[in-house]
Amino acid sequence: MASPMRSLMADPSRYLRSFRVFLGKSTEHQSMQKFVEQQLPGLLVSIGSGKSAINILSVGGGAGEIDLQIISTVRASYPGVTINNEVVEPSAEQILKYKERVAATSNLENVKFTWHEETAYEYESRMKAEKKSQKWDFIHMVQMLYYVKDIPATLRYFHSLLEAHAKLVVILVSETSGWETLWRKYGSSLPLGDLCTYVSSAGIKKMLDSAGLKYQLHELPSHMDITSCFTKGDEDGELLLDFLTETCKFSKTAPPELKHQVLEELRKPGCSENRNGKVFFNNNLSVIVIE
């Protein structure tokens, strides 16, 4: 009998709802913001010296929260320089939110925005078809490589678009995180299909090593309060379980034994820690800076 479980990516509106709960319950964006404010300026030293314009490509820019923080840091590092910020993002809903965020943000004079409603693969295919090879001073991919079919090819392509002294920054879950433990144990039981790949910093480092690319690694501590996952019928808890397993309505469609095992796993030290009666999932991130 076919499993009733299906990938969360098959239901874009539920995916976005679960993603918003995840952001509300986790320190993900705070951890990234701290990195962007404190460590990114040192990494940007080489990218814009002597230039009147800096070209930034955001691959999987989402609703723009992190993008605008990155732009703010670039502007502070290179005052008065024009910034051309192009965004590749397949979700029309996310692009709309991004545009609203830009409209509500002051201090964006000298910044030009262009949005492309397409996946990384569609962008690459279009550029090749149009025989364009725009070069970039800074390319970033924040939490998006899980949704790419051929990760090594995608990394190679976007790396080939870097100017001299430019940087490609990838942010994704760390091999020290609870995600790595959960995926390694239960990934084969979950309905990935072609829509999502379980990959952590361990896999990306292997790909970069085999391609002979130089990179630096920065670890960002982060956690997520998943206490509500253990309260039957809690809507936020059910959406978080969907996000953790990448499964649409996991608690209703997963076989009872699998659901029991996943919930047990989520409580264990490999995934989470218990503090004051709450369960905090290890959401550590890795920032990989490719030269």
Side-chain angles (χ1 to χ4, degrees):
M1 197 175 104
S3 165
M5 290 198 297
R6 61 191 185 113
S7 168
L8 181 58
M9 294 302 290
D11 185 337
S13 69
R14 189 166 176 94
Y15 171 81
L16 282 177
R17 279 172 63 208
S18 66
F19 177 59
R20 287 190 194 115
V21 174
F22 159 73
L23 285 183
K25 298 277 186 184
S26 76
T27 60
E28 170 137 328
H29 274 185
Q30 294 90 315
S31 298
M32 288 188 204
Q33 188 172 358
K34 195 172 171 190
F35 171 82
V36 167
E37 287 170 358
Q38 295 179 5
Q39 289 171 277
L40 189 62
L43 300 171
L44 294 175
V45 169
S46 63
I47 71 162
S49 41
K51 294 191 170 178
S52 58
I54 293 174
N55 297 318
I56 300 176
L57 181 63
S58 163
V59 187
E65 298 101 319
I66 301 300
D67 284 22
L68 289 186
Q69 287 164 16
I70 288 170
I71 287 166
S72 173
T73 297
V74 173
R75 289 184 78 229
S77 301
Y78 297 99
V81 166
T82 297
I83 296 172
N84 298 312
N85 186 71
E86 293 203 20
V87 182
V88 176
E89 167 56 52
S91 164
E93 191 179 338
Q94 291 285 73
I95 288 176
L96 185 63
K97 286 197 160 38
Y98 196 139
K99 289 178 176 176
E100 287 168 357
R101 186 167 266 115
V102 167
T105 304
S106 55
N107 300 329
L108 287 176
E109 56 280 356
N110 298 350
V111 185
K112 294 177 188 160
F113 290 90
T114 310
W115 288 270
H116 305 284
E117 190 187 317
E118 55 195 357
T119 65
Y121 178 72
E122 286 164 350
Y123 174 85
E124 179 183 342
S125 303
R126 179 170 64 81
M127 285 294 150
K128 286 177 173 172
E130 293 172 6
K131 296 195 166 35
K132 284 183 182 168
S133 68
Q134 158 116 34
K135 294 284 186 178
W136 302 92
D137 301 303
F138 184 48
I139 300 175
H140 56 86
M141 303 174 159
V142 177
Q143 291 287 48
M144 58 68 67
L145 281 175
Y146 322 107
Y147 311 113
V148 164
K149 274 191 185 162
D150 187 339
I151 297 172
T154 298
L155 287 171
R156 273 196 308 275
Y157 172 71
F158 285 100
H159 183 263
S160 76
L161 304 183
L162 293 176
E163 289 277 18
H165 311 300
K167 298 268 196 305
L168 167 59
V169 169
V170 170
I171 302 183
L172 80 169
V173 298
S174 168
E175 63 195 275
T176 68
S177 71
W179 296 99
E180 173 80 5
T181 309
L182 190 67
W183 292 344
R184 199 171 49 237
K185 230 170 179 177
Y186 294 104
S188 61
S189 305
L190 298 169
L192 280 188
D194 290 335
L195 299 168
C196 177
T197 312
Y198 291 146
V199 63
S200 73
S201 58
I204 301 300
K205 288 192 305 186
K206 272 190 196 136
M207 292 171 200
L208 295 174
D209 288 339
S210 68
L213 294 176
K214 284 187 182 160
Y215 59 91
Q216 303 166 30
L217 190 69
H218 303 264
E219 291 290 308
L220 310 185
S222 173
H223 63 260
M224 164 170 53
D225 182 350
I226 61 167
T227 314
S228 57
C229 291
F230 305 98
T231 304
K232 196 173 179 180
D234 184 293
E235 191 183 358
D236 279 359
E238 296 203 343
L239 286 164
L240 274 185
L241 269 177
D242 286 11
F243 196 78
L244 283 159
T245 59
E246 289 282 350
T247 303
C248 191
K249 300 186 179 169
F250 175 80
S251 68
K252 291 187 173 69
T253 62
E257 183 57 24
L258 177 64
K259 183 181 169 182
H260 172 74
Q261 288 172 348
V262 166
L263 285 169
E264 285 292 297
E265 192 66 41
L266 285 171
R267 285 188 186 275
K268 289 180 184 171
C271 280
S272 305
E273 63 171 320
N274 290 283
R275 294 203 301 264
N276 306 323
K278 292 193 162 188
V279 184
F280 290 95
F281 183 79
N282 177 335
N283 187 56
N284 289 356
L285 303 165
S286 291
V287 180
I288 302 172
V289 183
I290 306 163
E291 304 293 326

